Every structure is written in C-alpha cells, then in structure tokens.
Amino acid sequence: MTTTQRQAHREGAAMTTYTIFGTGNMGTAISGVLSKGGASTDNLSHGEATTATIEGEVVILAVPYPAVDEIITRHREALAGKTVIDITNPLNFDTFDELVVPAGSSAAAEIQGKLPDSTVLKAFNTTFAATLNSGKTGDLTTTVLVAGDDEAAKSALITDINAGGLDALDAGSLKRAHELEALGFLQLTLAGAEKISWSGGFGLVK
C-alpha cells in the first residue's frame, strides 16, 4: 500500500472497529498498528475481560492461550457473527518444549470449534511486539501472516495492517494456522534461549 493509499484509507468513512482482549506488549503493539492505519481500537485488561461489552466488529485475542477459554465462555453469544483473531502460540509454559493442542490441530482450529458462529483468523503470532512497534524485522518491513477460511475477513485485516505501515500476507486457509503456530513456537524458543533477540525474528522476502 502506497503512502497515498494509506492516507485515503485513514480518511475513509467506514473504519473497522476492534476490541482487543489484552493490554500487554502484544495487545498494545497491535492496537498501535491498527490505530495508525485509522482503525478504532479498544483494549480490555484482564480485569475488564469478564464484564466488558464487546463493541468492536472484530475481536482480537491478545492473551495467553490458557486465558482464551474464559473469554469464550463469558462472551460466546457476543462473539457470534464477529471476526475473531487468534494471536496465541499454545506453548506448554512449564516445559517450553511442546504445544498443548492436539497433534495436527492448532489453537485457532480449537477456537473455531468452540465458536462455530464466528469467523476465526490466525494472525500476529509470528511477530514480536518490538517488530510490530518498529515496523522492521532486521532490514525488512515486518510482515504479518494471516490464515483463515473467510477471504473477505482476511482481506479486510490485511488492508488495515497495510494501512498501519506493515506488510501482510494471506497464508491460506485456517488449516495453515498449524504451521504458523509451529513457526511461532520455534521463534519463541529461539528468543527464550537467547539465540535471537526479542526485537528480531523471522522476516519475509517476497
């Protein structure tokens, strides 16, 4: 998206509204990117998560994977008909050596199964907060990989990410969340072992 196109998007009459569960590094960074592109964002803290009214057209789960079930239980009816973006990497944080979803599945697929009336996308799980904030992964523009079965929902998110100054790429159907979570897992373990920095990670050359 060119600078002119970004400006036109920001000045557009119909901006997407996002409710973001999470006020940590990732939730704040994602909010920054989307707001920069002209979207309206509302971040909910852990204390607000159980009682808040979901105002956004799109909901982002920027929380640790174990916190997702409580949000779904509390807000299942409110999430019906909305796009729900899962950014989680479902690590076993006790061992930091495995994923806790069934083999061949993904956190996103598990969430979609629990929210059959919502459109679930996988995004942001292969980027660190620092690379979202800076817009750079090394010398490359930070790229957000997006997977999901709804083409219109993916396109809308990609447009909003582009408007915020980052690259975004359609990574395929929701089945690809399995591979995205494996990539996110690897990136996290490398950073945890101090083999890469938390301001680094995987970049994409097109």
Side-chain angles (χ1 to χ4, degrees), residues 17-22 31 40-44 48 52-53 55-56:
T17 58
Y18 289 86
T19 293
I20 302 174
F21 282 92
S31 178
S40 172
T41 64
D42 178 29
N43 287 69
L44 302 177
E48 298 170 317
T53 300
E55 303 288 353

Side-chain angles (χ1 to χ4, degrees), residues 30 62 71 73 96:
I30 292 167
I71 293 171
T73 299
F96 220 66

Side-chain angles (χ1 to χ4, degrees), residues 15-183:
M15 294 293 101
T16 310
T17 58
Y18 289 86
T19 293
I20 302 174
F21 282 92
T23 56
N25 291 340
M26 283 297 292
T28 301
I30 292 167
S31 178
V33 170
L34 297 172
S35 297
K36 184 179 178 181
S40 172
T41 64
D42 178 29
N43 287 69
L44 302 177
S45 68
H46 178 74
E48 298 170 317
T50 56
T51 59
T53 300
I54 297 176
E55 303 288 353
E57 307 159 66
V58 180
V59 176
I60 300 179
L61 302 176
V63 297
Y65 183 59
V68 167
D69 274 347
E70 183 179 10
I71 293 171
I72 290 175
T73 299
R74 295 280 186 175
H75 299 287
R76 182 176 280 104
E77 290 185 8
L79 293 172
K82 295 184 183 292
T83 297
V84 176
I85 300 169
D86 166 40
I87 82 159
T88 66
N89 283 304
L91 274 69
N92 181 331
F93 286 101
D94 291 329
T95 66
F96 220 66
D97 196 37
E98 62 183 343
L99 298 175
V100 297
V101 293
S105 187
S106 66
E110 297 299 302
I111 292 168
Q112 182 67 87
K114 295 171 183 177
L115 294 174
D117 297 320
S118 303
T119 296
V120 175
L121 303 181
K122 189 79 186 185
F124 297 107
N125 76 298
T126 60
T127 56
F128 289 144
T131 63
L132 293 174
N133 286 327
S134 69
K136 291 289 185 180
T137 305
D139 294 329
L140 301 171
T141 300
T142 299
T143 298
V144 178
L145 300 174
V146 182
D149 295 332
D150 189 304
E151 298 300 324
K154 285 191 291 185
S155 178
L157 177 60
I158 287 170
T159 297
D160 284 347
I161 292 169
N162 289 160
L166 305 187
D167 285 341
L169 184 70
D170 183 343
S173 72
L174 197 64
K175 290 181 180 180
R176 297 288 74 77
H178 172 71
E179 286 75 25
L180 294 186
E181 290 175 16
L183 184 61

